[in-house]
Amino acid sequence: MLTTERADLPGDIAEPDARLTVLLQQIPRRSDFVEYPSSWYLFCVARELDRGPLSKHMLGTNLVAYRTDAGQVVVMDGSCSHMRADLGKGKVIGDCVQCPFHGWRYGPDGRCTHIPRTDKIPRRVRQRVYPAVERHGLVFVFNGPVPLFPLPFFFDERVEDFTPATPVEFGANCSWFLVAAHGYDSQHFETVHSRRLHVPMVVDCPAPFARRSRYTADVLGEAYYDHLLRKFAGPTVDISITTWGGTMVLITGKFTRATSQFMISVRPIEGGKTLCHVVAFTRKARHPIARYLVQPLDLWIRRLFTSAYLIAEVEGLGSPRYTPSNFVEADREMIEYFSWAATLPKSAYEMPRGWSP
């Protein structure tokens, strides 16, 4: 929910104009943001499930993923309903994951199918199941019982036409909504990334739970990757940044001689920090030789440039904090993004825990 209380204004804008006054009155409080948005998250690389069930602490709980004999990927509560043992330490038996402590088994729907030494299984004994999608060799999980929107991809592109690089992982010492806010911060583009916008960015909401910014900019940076971009890709870039559910960011950069496309999966972690996974994409090569020789090099280069660009940004920012009382008119697009992000729904799974009836 958005706050209707006016934030304290810094002294230098104590007498704002009417338009700015309305904007500043819309600034959410820190408490207006949900801890774990009801959205998609990258869980793991799919091949990690070849060794058996995999558990992770994420979204404020323990989750486990496994692959059934039929090949289906299942994600559910990672702590056994019996005595909270780690299902990730168990094993897969047919379509079920088996607890390592007492051998209780759970099927893809979360229901307990087997308890040793008894044929009576209480109906209430079941695990929460999370929607999961396997795509491009990656496993994604939705924080909630039913996805509010499909797993997103680049607009007007077919999933099957692309192949990904290995994800790059890094941490940001700030909240999830500050990480995604960079896509709506024009001051940030010029100061940190040395991108000079031709005209103000255009912001819209192309789909439910999606917010997009678009702009054209000159590449002015002195970092090695900026020099190489100007030489081989071009000095100007058209950027599109779409944030889905606050946690999935899809970015397309169209240069004169090349196009860069990558995804950032944002996951809130303890201590107000954020874990980020970046996946660069390239179009699948049609010729078999190019697919096995040229394409891996292409992906390696894209991964290198993308990770260098983003990690350098994170390392140079320190520990930014959400301070609404210090916003000014130049933060307009970013304030509007925060107002949108503060309306994102809380997961139905962030309720008191316990066995389902």
Side-chain angles (χ1 to χ4, degrees):
M1 298 293 295
L2 298 182
T3 177
T4 57
E5 301 172 359
R6 173 171 173 165
D8 294 333
L9 303 181
D12 60 334
I13 56 170
E15 298 294 337
D17 59 38
R19 185 180 176 189
L20 180 57
T21 298
V22 173
L23 182 66
L24 291 172
Q25 287 175 339
Q26 297 175 348
I27 300 176
R29 296 163 297 191
R30 175 62 180 84
S31 59
D32 291 329
F33 298 93
V34 300
E35 190 171 8
Y36 304 104
S38 187
S39 183
W40 290 98
Y41 299 83
L42 177 62
F43 186 88
C44 68
V45 176
R47 63 174 176 269
E48 293 182 80
L49 302 183
D50 295 342
R51 300 188 293 270
L54 174 68
S55 59
K56 288 192 175 184
H57 181 76
M58 58 184 291
L59 308 179
T61 188
N62 295 317
L63 300 181
V64 65
Y66 71 97
R67 189 185 300 281
T68 68
D69 277 353
Q72 177 187 359
V73 172
V74 179
V75 179
M76 64 174 62
D77 279 341
S79 300
C80 179
S81 294
H82 183 210
M83 295 183 68
R84 316 306 294 167
D86 184 359
L87 294 178
K89 304 295 185 181
K91 57 184 177 181
V92 178
I93 305 293
D95 287 342
C96 300
V97 60
Q98 178 174 284
C99 177
F101 197 3
H102 294 103
W104 291 29
R105 298 176 189 172
Y106 301 92
D109 63 354
R111 291 187 179 276
C112 184
T113 63
H114 174 75
I115 296 178
R117 302 182 63 185
T118 182
D119 294 329
K120 297 180 180 180
I121 302 175
R123 294 182 58 187
R124 69 180 183 275
V125 181
R126 62 184 304 174
Q127 303 289 106
R128 287 174 177 167
V129 175
Y130 293 72
V133 171
E134 182 177 1
R135 192 176 76 186
H136 289 130
L138 304 170
V139 174
F140 299 86
V141 61
F142 190 88
N143 183 26
V146 179
L148 299 177
F149 54 92
L151 180 63
F153 198 60
F154 304 105
F155 286 117
D156 301 322
E157 300 286 11
R158 300 193 313 164
V159 171
E160 59 268 27
D161 290 341
F162 288 79
T163 188
T166 302
V168 175
E169 178 180 302
F170 63 91
N173 193 19
C174 61
S175 61
W176 64 267
F177 51 87
L178 276 180
V179 173
H182 293 172
Y184 309 88
D185 186 353
S186 56
Q187 299 175 80
H188 175 80
F189 297 145
E190 185 164 348
T191 302
V192 177
H193 297 302
S194 298
R195 302 293 191 263
R196 184 175 59 200
L197 275 63
H198 290 189
V199 295
M201 71 175 70
V202 176
V203 179
D204 64 352
C205 292
F209 305 103
R211 189 170 185 86
R212 175 175 62 183
S213 68
R214 289 174 290 177
Y215 61 90
T216 299
D218 296 322
V219 180
L220 305 177
E222 293 301 319
Y224 75 89
Y225 44 82
D226 283 330
H227 283 286
L228 292 173
L229 281 175
R230 285 194 294 270
K231 181 175 181 179
F232 294 104
T236 303
V237 60
D238 293 325
I239 294 288
S240 172
I241 304 174
T242 307
T243 304
W244 291 85
T247 67
M248 297 288 290
V249 185
L250 293 164
I251 302 173
T252 298
K254 293 185 177 181
F255 297 84
T256 305
R257 297 181 293 276
T259 297
S260 172
Q261 291 171 293
F262 60 96
M263 173 191 74
I264 306 175
S265 175
V266 173
R267 186 205 305 171
I269 56 178
E270 285 73 11
K273 300 180 181 181
T274 305
L275 185 65
C276 304
H277 292 94
V278 181
V279 183
F281 289 87
T282 190
R283 290 186 180 276
K284 288 182 180 178
R286 295 183 178 181
H287 196 282
I289 296 179
R291 190 176 306 145
Y292 290 104
L293 296 180
V294 179
Q295 188 168 282
L297 177 60
D298 181 25
L299 282 172
W300 181 83
I301 293 173
R302 291 174 183 272
R303 184 176 186 268
L304 175 66
F305 273 60
T306 302
S307 60
Y309 176 85
L310 294 172
I311 292 176
E313 169 188 16
V314 170
E315 291 178 346
L317 293 182
S319 304
R321 290 293 178 264
Y322 180 70
T323 313
S325 61
N326 290 336
F327 288 136
V328 297
E329 187 171 12
D331 299 315
R332 182 177 302 274
E333 292 89 355
M334 188 168 55
I335 294 172
E336 291 172 348
Y337 159 78
F338 287 132
S339 297
W340 172 81
T343 67
L344 292 172
K346 182 178 182 178
S347 170
Y349 278 171
E350 292 180 54
M351 304 300 289
R353 301 186 61 82
W355 284 346
S356 300

